[in-house]
Structure formats: C-alpha cells, structure tokens
C-alpha cells in the first residue's frame, strides 16, 4: 500500500507539473502575442508594457518571470512570432512548390488590403527601419528574417530553373532581392498613401514581372496589364 500511495503521489505531482508547465507556456504565448500587437501598433520604443500586460491579462511578475526586460521581450517577438509568420506566409509555400512562379503569385496576391493592415504596413519593415540603426540585436534578427525570406525565394527560383519552369538566364539571388525590395516598396508606399489601390497596382506589376520569369512557352498571355 505504501508503494502504491507513493506512486499515486508521484503521478499527482507529475500532473500538477505538466499543468503548471502548460500554464507557463500559455502565459508566455499571451505575452508574446500582446507584445507583437503593441509593437506593430506603436513601434518598439513607444510600446507600453502596461498595455501589453493588460492585453495579455497577466501580471508584471509574470512578464519578468519569462523575460529579463523589454528588450528581451522584443527579441523574442522577432525570434518566435515574426519568424513563424514569415515562414508560414513565404517559406513554407515555396518549399517543394509544384510551380514556384504560381506559388509566388499566390503569395503576392494574398497581401491584405484591409484598412487596418494598409494603415500599419509591414511589421518587419517597420521594426527594421525603427531599430536597425539603434540596436545590434534587432538589426541581426531582422537581417536574419530578410535572409530567410530571400533564401526561400531564391531557392524556389533555382529549383524552377532545374525543372524548366523558370528562365535560365536570370540570377536567382539578384531576382529574389529585387522581388522583395519591390514588394516591400509597394507596402511602404501603400502605408504612406493609406490607399489600397497603391498595393493593388503593385500586385499587378509584381505579378507581371513574375510571369516574365517563365520560359517564353509558359508565360500567361497579358500578365501584368492594368
């Protein structure tokens, strides 16, 4: 009986430990998501910790249990939330894509034209512009995200070249840089103009350029008009 009671106690402690671990992970996740939204809305330097705590529904003690300071919280937002978002939107759809041009067109066309998103722009560009010249930790992390993005596009283009789906006379690395710069340029202009038509025009132009990357026999007639 003593052994059985002891085993039961161990199981209870194990269950409590798992529950505590889940709650801790949930709290951390709530803080990261609330911090992302506050940083996206206000920028990192103007982000209000009290607003983050209120949105997450946790105490200041919980914040400092998981993160040493505001900077550590900001780094984690980049490393986890923004990295995950970038990989879901750009990296994963391009991995083993049946046709990389089609995949890139779908991604570009999926850009949100909702008023809220037009007003706020791209969180990666916003944070990079705000913090890259001020904090090396932010600069390294945003540079890594841009590199992941570039490598995903360039890799998909090279794969398309091997399979005869992308012109062999283009440089995949240079083309990836051009596409990202053009796409993000339109996002910035759209944020500045507060007019979704700017992004719609950009989507048509970027799609036209993407179609031009196909071998002549595979191009879509009339792509990029408008």
């Amino acid at each position: 009986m003593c052994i059985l009671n002891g085993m039961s106690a161990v199981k209870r402690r194990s269950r409590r430990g798992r529950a505590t671990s889940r709650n801790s992970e949930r709290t951390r996740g709530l803080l990261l998501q609330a911090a992302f939204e506050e940083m996206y809305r206000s920028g990192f330097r103007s982000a209000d910790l009290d607003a983050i705590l209120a949105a997450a529904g946790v105490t200041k003690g919980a914040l400092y249990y998981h993160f040493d300071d505001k900077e550590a919280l900001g780094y984690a937002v980049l490393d986890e939330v923004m990295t995950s978002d970038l990989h879901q939107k750009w990296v994963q759809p391009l991995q083993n894509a049946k046709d990389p041009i089609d995949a890139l067109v779908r991604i570009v066309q999926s850009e949100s034209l909702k008023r809220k998103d037009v007003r706020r722009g791209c969180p990666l560009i916003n944070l990079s512009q705000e913090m890259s010249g001020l904090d090396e930790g932010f600069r390294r992390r945003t540079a890594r995200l841009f590199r992941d993005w570039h490598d995903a596009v360039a890799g998909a283009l090279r794969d398309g070249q091997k399979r005869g789906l992308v012109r062999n006379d283009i440089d995949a690395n240079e083309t990836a840089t051009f596409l990202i710069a053009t796409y993000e340029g339109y996002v910035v202009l759209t944020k500045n103009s507060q007019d979704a038509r700017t992004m719609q025009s950009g989507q048509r132009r970027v799609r036209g350029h993407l179609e031009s990357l196909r071998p002549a026999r595979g191009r879509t007639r009339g792509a990029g008009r408008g």
Side-chain angles (χ1 to χ4, degrees), residues 74-87 91 124 128 132 136-152 180:
Y75 289 169
V77 167
L78 267 166
D79 291 339
E80 299 177 45
V81 179
M82 294 177 67
T83 294
S84 176
D85 289 349
L86 178 86
H87 279 243
V91 178
L124 177 56
S128 177
S132 289
E136 181 62 14
F138 278 103
R139 190 202 65 77
R140 287 198 310 270
R141 285 169 171 81
T142 54
R144 176 181 53 78
L145 282 178
F146 280 119
R147 186 166 58 251
D148 288 350
W149 186 357
H150 170 275
D151 290 349
I180 293 169

Side-chain angles (χ1 to χ4, degrees), residues 112-179:
S112 174
L113 299 176
K114 294 179 181 177
R115 186 178 185 85
K116 177 183 71 172
D117 297 322
V118 166
R119 179 175 57 82
R120 297 195 296 180
C122 170
L124 177 56
I125 279 285
N126 293 349
L127 195 55
S128 177
Q129 289 179 328
E130 179 191 5
M131 298 302 297
S132 289
L134 302 176
D135 184 284
E136 181 62 14
F138 278 103
R139 190 202 65 77
R140 287 198 310 270
R141 285 169 171 81
T142 54
R144 176 181 53 78
L145 282 178
F146 280 119
R147 186 166 58 251
D148 288 350
W149 186 357
H150 170 275
D151 290 349
V153 175
L157 292 174
R158 280 193 293 270
D159 179 66
Q161 287 176 320
K162 293 176 183 176
R163 294 189 286 135
L165 300 171
V166 176
R167 285 167 33 203
N168 283 321
D169 62 329
I170 69 161
D171 183 292
N173 285 321
E174 291 182 359
T175 302
T177 298
F178 175 80
L179 285 170

Side-chain angles (χ1 to χ4, degrees), residues 44 46 68 83:
F44 174 75
S46 297
D68 290 340
T83 294

Side-chain angles (χ1 to χ4, degrees), residues 10 18 45 60-61 68 90 94 100 103 121 147 167-168 179 182 187 193-194 205 223:
V10 169
R18 287 196 296 270
R45 287 174 295 176
K60 187 170 289 187
D68 290 340
W90 286 93
L94 291 175
R147 186 166 58 251
R167 285 167 33 203
N168 283 321
L179 285 170
T182 303
V187 173
S193 69
Q194 295 292 289
R205 297 304 173 186

